Structure formats: structure tokens, C-alpha cells
Amino acid sequence: MRDAREALAAVGSARSAAADRLVTPWWYHPVLGLLVAGFVLVYALGNLVVIVAGIVVYFVGLGMLMAAYKNKTGIWVSGFRAGAATPLALVLVGLYLACMIIAILLARLASLDWVAWVAAPVLFIATVVVGRRFDAALRAQLREQP
């Protein structure tokens, strides 16, 4: 029985140490928000050359962010496999898709470019706010007893 308690204590200690390592740099979510906002603007308002360039910048930027996070923390946690924090990632992706579809359709079909200019800051703010809540939920989950 004592061995089981010691093993559980060791697991709890390892989870707590992992939570301490998963501290996202302050600039991570604002940079991610800028990438997402720029992607929506480029896709909704740009021509083919601008869209292709924007897609390249977006995905290279995402790769650099992921590499920087992994370099700092030593691990990468997928938002879709983050346990109790996953619903926050799903909400954010749903918001991304909804804003992007609406902005693109209204800009292309109804010439309402202003919608994309509204969607971009909404997505930036949502990325920063929800992203930080996601991080807090993930760390709290890791600190819970096994």
C-alpha cells in the first residue's frame, strides 16, 4: 500500500513539474492572433498572389511558433488532445471558421469588405483571451491529483 502511495505521489509530482514547464511566453498568443487576423484579411480581401503569399506566411509563422514553444517547454501539446482544456480549443477553432467563412462570403459575394476588418480584431482578441484560458486550464488539469 505504501508503494502505491509513493508511486501516486511521484506521478503527481511529475504532473506538477510538467505544468510548471508549460508556461507560454507572453508574446505567443498575440503573435498567433496576428497570424490568424492577417490570414482572414488576406483570404477575404486579397487576390490570388496575395492569398498564396498570405498562406505561406501563415503556415511558416505557425511552424515557428510551435518550434519556439517546443524549444521553451520541451514538449508540444495539441489543443485537440488536451483533456479538459480541449473544449476551449474547439470553441476557438469554431470561431475562426465562422468568422472566416462569413468574412470571405460577404467580401467576395456582397463586396462588404468591412466585415473582414471587423473579424480580424475579433479573432485577435479571442485568440489572446481564449488561448490564455486554455493554457491555465491545461496547467490546472495537470496539477490535479492522478
Side-chain angles (χ1 to χ4, degrees), residues 18-35:
D20 291 341
R21 285 182 31 210
L22 289 176
V23 176
T24 305
W26 68 267
W27 47 264
Y28 182 91
H29 292 106
V31 170
L32 179 59
L34 286 174
L35 286 170

Side-chain angles (χ1 to χ4, degrees), residues 10 22 29 90 96 114 132-133 136 142:
L22 289 176
H29 292 106
L90 294 174
Y96 287 171
W114 65 267
R132 290 182 176 161
R133 287 186 180 168
L142 285 171

Side-chain angles (χ1 to χ4, degrees), residues 37 40-41 99-100 102-103 114-125:
V40 169
L41 283 173
C99 284
M100 190 165 191
I102 291 168
W114 65 267
V115 177
W117 288 103
V118 170
V122 165
L123 292 176
F124 173 81
I125 292 167

Side-chain angles (χ1 to χ4, degrees), residues 37-105:
F39 185 77
V40 169
L41 283 173
V42 164
Y43 215 94
L45 305 176
N47 62 29
L48 183 60
V49 173
V50 172
I51 291 171
V52 170
I55 290 171
V56 169
V57 168
Y58 177 74
F59 284 106
V60 168
L62 284 181
M64 291 172 66
L65 275 177
M66 289 171 67
Y69 183 87
K70 190 173 181 180
N71 187 40
K72 182 180 183 324
T73 65
I75 59 175
W76 173 256
V77 178
S78 168
F80 302 114
R81 295 177 186 241
T86 297
L88 290 168
L90 294 174
V91 164
L92 197 55
V93 169
L95 184 62
Y96 287 171
L97 291 173
C99 284
M100 190 165 191
I101 291 167
I102 291 168
I104 290 168
L105 287 177

